[in-house]
Amino acid sequence: MNKKLPYRCPSCENHLKVKSLLCDQCGTEVSGLFFMPLLSRLRSEDQDFIIDFIKCSGNLKIMAQNLKLSYPTVRNLLDDIITRIDSIEKQQIEEK
Amino acid sequence: MNSNLLFNPFLKIAGVKSLLIGIFVLLSASALAGLASVRFDGVIDVHFYKSENFLIPFYDNFINWGTTVIIFYLISLFTAGSSVRFIDIAGTFAMARMALIPLCLIMLFPFKKGHIPADFDHIFDWIFMNLVMFFVFIFLIWEVVLMYNAWVTSSNIKKMKANITFIIGILFSEMISKTIIVFFVK
């Protein structure tokens, strides 16, 4: 079963932080308080888009052909992701 | 049929492809309008006309299209968050006029050529005329929806800003196209 990594609190919608990490090889557990990486704080659709974008070498025309969407639609999706990233970065600064 | 394709085909089609389709649409609509003695003397205007000049709807359509493209592109330079391609505005706005094709087909119905007569003989003539006008309004509304979606998709302007810029763009396009047509297209 493919589980999604949650990034927002189901109770108050705030961004989640990482409290512990586990090595499933030797059983070592690392505890602390870590910020989730920026990319993992994006929605899964946005993460998939970014991966596809990199695989297309940043070429929006190729992405549009692959996604069977028009060029301005794909460019608009990218602009929306940039806006969400800016918003997350602002929030990260405020949290620190 | 997917309602998205009907009201926002620009999610899938833009750029050069939409421009080629759009020019075909403009030529087809103009030819049908010439046959029906209909002209588009403004971006969202439709009227019968009395003239033997078959080319008048062609001049009207291309002036209307050109005016909207220039006006909306200029608006996008000042209001869009990212760069807007001229080809997207030109192509999507040309394609948006595809609602004029069924509109012209409706107006091919046998009214007296060039005008709606004031002396209809029978009540059914009035009912028929009103039915035709109802569908004309439906297609005009569809055209406005297509132009709005063309604008939103090409510029990525959203919500209230999209509504306000669209209204301003349509008003200025209507004023300018009407002025050009009244003075230069006879």
Side-chain angles (χ1 to χ4, degrees):
Chain A
M1 184 171 80
N2 231 356
K3 291 197 290 188
K4 285 185 190 174
L5 178 69
Y7 61 93
R8 279 204 184 271
C9 173
S11 177
C12 67
E13 289 285 307
N14 200 19
H15 281 282
L16 294 170
K17 293 181 182 60
V18 176
K19 191 185 165 192
S20 72
L21 296 154
L22 173 73
C23 171
D24 64 357
Q25 195 81 335
C26 67
T28 303
E29 192 171 330
V30 178
S31 291
L33 196 63
F34 308 99
F35 285 98
M36 291 251 271
L38 187 145
L39 287 175
S40 63
R41 295 171 88 166
L42 294 167
R43 304 176 316 182
S44 58
E45 305 88 48
D46 292 348
Q47 293 174 23
D48 292 340
F49 184 94
I50 290 167
I51 290 168
D52 289 338
F53 185 64
I54 291 167
K55 282 182 176 175
C56 292
S57 307
N59 190 320
L60 284 178
K61 275 190 187 155
I62 296 173
M63 269 206 82
Q65 279 166 15
N66 292 346
L67 294 173
K68 293 186 175 47
L69 295 171
S70 64
Y71 175 90
T73 303
V74 174
R75 198 218 38 230
N76 295 345
L77 289 171
L78 180 64
D79 287 345
D80 294 343
I81 291 172
I82 291 170
T83 305
R84 283 194 276 277
I85 288 174
D86 287 340
S87 161
I88 291 170
E89 280 180 333
K90 263 190 202 159
Q91 212 169 4
Q92 271 185 332
I93 293 167
E94 282 165 17
E95 284 169 3
K96 282 173 186 168
Chain B
M1 183 187 281
N2 191 344
S3 62
N4 251 348
L5 272 180
L6 206 56
F7 296 108
N8 196 359
F10 318 111
L11 292 174
K12 304 257 184 197
I13 307 169
V16 173
K17 198 172 175 184
S18 64
L19 183 64
L20 293 172
I21 294 171
I23 288 174
F24 173 77
V25 162
L26 287 169
L27 291 171
S28 306
S30 303
L32 285 169
L35 290 171
S37 292
V38 165
R39 66 176 308 183
F40 307 101
D41 49 346
V43 170
I44 43 174
D45 274 299
V46 182
H47 294 105
F48 282 112
Y49 73 100
K50 286 184 195 183
S51 170
E52 295 306 315
N53 190 350
F54 181 77
L55 293 178
I56 285 179
F58 287 87
Y59 301 139
D60 288 348
N61 258 333
F62 279 89
I63 288 169
N64 292 332
W65 169 56
T67 312
T68 47
V69 167
I70 291 168
I71 295 291
F72 277 97
Y73 183 69
L74 288 173
I75 292 175
S76 75
L77 291 177
F78 295 101
T79 56
S82 57
S83 67
V84 174
R85 298 193 314 174
F86 185 82
I87 188 85
D88 288 330
I89 301 255
T92 53
F93 272 88
M95 226 177 114
R97 296 187 82 76
M98 65 185 182
L100 297 182
I101 291 176
L103 187 153
C104 291
L105 286 171
I106 288 274
M107 295 183 94
L108 273 172
F109 275 96
F111 294 122
K112 288 182 186 174
K113 188 173 167 60
H115 67 285
I116 300 171
D119 56 345
F120 276 173
D121 295 329
H122 206 280
I123 184 73
F124 287 124
D125 290 335
W126 288 105
I127 293 170
F128 184 69
M129 186 197 74
N130 279 295
L131 204 58
V132 168
M133 289 300 117
F134 170 77
F135 282 105
V136 166
F137 277 119
I138 294 289
F139 291 125
L140 276 178
I141 290 167
W142 182 27
E143 192 204 347
V144 172
V145 169
L146 284 170
M147 284 200 285
Y148 177 80
N149 285 328
W151 172 235
V152 166
T153 304
S154 300
S155 66
N156 199 24
I157 295 175
K158 296 188 197 320
K159 299 179 188 171
M160 189 54 70
K161 196 173 172 187
N163 299 342
I164 291 170
T165 51
F166 181 72
I167 290 168
I168 291 171
I170 280 292
L171 284 175
F172 272 97
S173 302
E174 173 72 13
M175 286 187 317
I176 293 168
S177 64
K178 192 94 180 174
T179 306
I180 295 171
I181 287 168
V182 161
F183 278 105
F184 295 106
V185 180
K186 295 184 198 301

